[in-house]
Structures are given as structure tokens and as C-alpha cells.
Amino acid sequence: MGDLSAGQRFLYVARRVFTSPLALLTWLAAIAVSATLGWSSIPFAAAIVIQGALLFWRLNDSDYLHRLFADREAREQTLADTDIEASLEKMDFETRQRIRYVVQLQKDITREARATDVEPYARAELDRIASKLPALVQQAIRMASRKQHLAKYLQHVDERALRAYAENLRSRIEATTDPVSKAQYEQALRAREAELGTYQAIAQASGRIDSQLENVEATFASWKAKVIRLKTVDIGNVASFSEGLVHELDSLGREIELLDSSVMEALGPETSVPIEQRVGSNT
């Protein structure tokens, strides 16, 4: 429920309370009683008071709120899973399996963070952590999709052939004495070297996506253990322990965004020198 503001959470709870079977039964009873009393307004006023009391009761029932938002998130997760599977179908087998494992780890962490055995003093911190995970999963999926675009380019480029072609042009430049021909060969060489530089930068970006996704997978596995550990710490250590984990979450998100920026340059039309410098700057 980290994606909802306090006002939105209140409205969501109010809507669920006012459309619950108990609330509807209250209105039916008010209508029936009012009809027998010649359509007196007193039963309706009483129903409004009951509705307000019911809302107040639910807003102060932590177990009810926990179940309510857990159900909401489960429904949203089901919809998200459908979108994720559609994206996974476009990926290579290794990347697809890695993302599926990351998604499963995210579900495991969320389940642990919002389980009924979580101590009340740790519930808010664990919920804060769990609410940050879906965005990271989406970042990982976006990076994995970028990798597929890069792979399409790499499949149609032969680095050895490019190098051989460039070397052949250099030999022709050295052998020719005609200034016009030499200038044309030099222009062709620059174009081939630019293409080779682009290929190398894209290949490097693709490799870095692989390493980043492996890092995401390992980090999520580590976080699962840390969340279980957080469920056992005493009340005095919860805030400091969770703050360190939140910092790790934010740092990983920034790392992915930085890599994503360099990859987007690699997919852009002007790619040769800028990409190589940008991608290289992350070493």
C-alpha cells in the first residue's frame, strides 16, 4: 500500500466498509423500519450513525486493515503477473528464468514482510520495504527487455568481418598514391571504425545488463534473509536495521537507472563515441 497516500487509503477503506454486506444490511433494515413508521427519517439517521461507527471501528482494527490491503495487493499482483509473463515471452531462456526467480523472490519477501507473525512494532518498517520491491522488479524487467533489443543488433553484426574490412581499408590507404582515392578510403575507414565502436559499446552494454541482472537476483535473495532477520530483532533495533535495507534498495534502483541511461544511448541513432564514453564511465 506504499503507492497510496493517507487520503487514498482512507477513501479505499471507507468505500470497502460502506459497500460491505453489513453496511448494506444496515440500509435495508433502515428502509424496512422506516416504511413501517410511515417513512420516518429516524431509521436513516440511525443507519448513518451506525455506518460512521462501523467505519471508525474498521479504521482502528489493524488486523482488518492488514487483510484489506493484503487482498488489494494480491489482486494487483495477479494483474502484474500477467503483464510480466507477456514481457518474459520475448526474452531469451536464461534472462527469462532469472527474471522469474527475481519475481518469485519479491513475492517471498512480501509474504514474509506482511505475514501474521510480524511483530506490531516491525510491521510498518517491513511494509515500507515490501512496497519498494515492485518498482525494482519493473526496473529489472525493463533492463532485460533492453537486452533483447541489443541482442537483435548484435546478431546481425560480425565483429571479425568488421575488423578485417577496416584492416583492408588501412592497407589500401597505405598502398594508394591517388589523393582522391585515398580520401575516399579514409572516409570509408572512419565509417567502419565508427560502426565497430558502436558494436563494441553495445556488446559491452549487453554484458553489463547481464551482470546487473545477476546482481539483482543475488541481492533479492540476500534481502529475503534480511527481512526474515528483521522480523526477529527487538524494538530498539528495528528502525536502524530497516534503514540500512532501505538504503540498499534505493542504491540498487539508482544503479539500474544509471545503466539504463547508457543503454538507451546505445539504442539511439547517435551512438558511436558518446555511448562508448558513457558506458565506459560506469567502470
Side-chain angles (χ1 to χ4, degrees):
M1 55 184 159
D3 58 331
L4 296 179
S5 65
Q8 290 172 322
R9 289 198 295 270
F10 173 80
L11 290 176
Y12 182 75
V13 174
R15 184 167 62 252
R16 293 301 300 269
V17 168
F18 293 151
T19 57
S20 66
L22 181 58
L24 295 176
L25 183 61
T26 301
W27 283 115
L28 290 175
I31 293 172
V33 173
S34 178
T36 61
L37 297 177
W39 298 108
S40 169
S41 61
I42 295 177
F44 292 108
I48 292 174
V49 172
I50 293 173
Q51 297 281 342
L54 183 60
L55 177 60
F56 179 80
W57 170 46
R58 288 305 195 187
L59 287 172
N60 289 276
D61 185 346
S62 59
D63 289 337
Y64 170 80
L65 295 176
H66 185 72
R67 291 194 307 271
L68 183 66
F69 286 105
D71 290 344
R72 175 183 180 274
E73 184 160 324
R75 289 194 299 273
E76 291 183 344
Q77 185 63 54
T78 300
L79 296 175
D81 286 346
T82 302
D83 294 335
I84 289 172
E85 281 300 318
S87 298
L88 292 179
E89 291 301 319
K90 303 174 184 177
M91 300 178 187
D92 62 89
F93 177 78
E94 181 181 354
T95 304
R96 182 164 60 246
Q97 293 303 104
R98 176 162 288 154
I99 292 297
R100 278 181 175 155
Y101 184 49
V102 168
V103 171
Q104 185 57 52
L105 284 169
Q106 183 243 325
K107 292 179 180 179
D108 292 344
I109 295 170
T110 300
R111 183 174 61 252
E112 290 289 348
R114 293 172 176 166
T116 55
D117 63 344
V118 175
E119 295 293 340
Y121 59 78
R123 186 167 293 169
E125 293 296 334
L126 284 167
D127 187 74
R128 176 188 175 198
I129 291 167
S131 67
K132 287 180 171 288
L133 297 178
L136 282 172
V137 171
Q138 290 300 321
Q139 284 182 295
I141 292 172
R142 187 170 66 249
M143 289 305 302
S145 298
R146 299 268 195 264
K147 179 190 171 186
Q148 308 311 306
H149 290 291
L150 297 177
K152 289 179 181 179
Y153 175 84
L154 296 175
Q155 286 173 356
H156 294 89
V157 177
D158 186 340
E159 183 180 8
R160 293 176 61 185
L162 279 175
R163 290 185 180 278
Y165 196 100
E167 190 59 37
N168 179 265
L169 286 171
R170 291 189 189 95
S171 298
R172 292 187 180 188
I173 290 171
E174 292 177 0
T176 186
T177 58
D178 177 33
V180 175
S181 297
K182 190 170 187 175
Q184 290 174 337
Y185 284 141
E186 288 173 343
Q187 183 177 356
L189 177 60
R190 286 193 295 272
R192 289 301 182 182
E193 287 178 335
E195 183 180 0
L196 182 59
T198 297
Y199 168 84
Q200 291 171 335
I202 290 179
Q204 187 180 55
S206 180
R208 291 188 178 190
I209 290 176
D210 274 333
S211 63
Q212 182 69 79
L213 292 177
E214 187 167 349
N215 180 40
V216 170
E217 178 184 336
T219 303
F220 267 63
S222 171
W223 287 341
K224 179 180 177 180
K226 289 181 179 180
V227 164
I228 294 174
R229 171 74 180 90
L230 182 57
K231 292 169 66 175
T232 66
V233 301
D234 58 57
I235 189 170
N237 295 324
V238 168
S240 60
F241 192 94
S242 66
E243 195 61 39
L245 187 49
V246 169
H247 178 72
E248 290 182 26
L249 287 162
D250 293 338
S251 295
L252 181 59
R254 288 192 295 269
E255 289 176 12
I256 296 176
E257 285 299 327
L258 181 60
L259 179 58
D260 190 37
S261 296
S262 65
V263 172
M264 283 304 293
E265 283 192 30
L267 291 173
E270 301 295 336
T271 57
S272 54
V273 176
I275 297 172
E276 203 163 17
Q277 292 175 344
R278 179 65 175 273
V279 174
S281 67
N282 292 330
T283 56

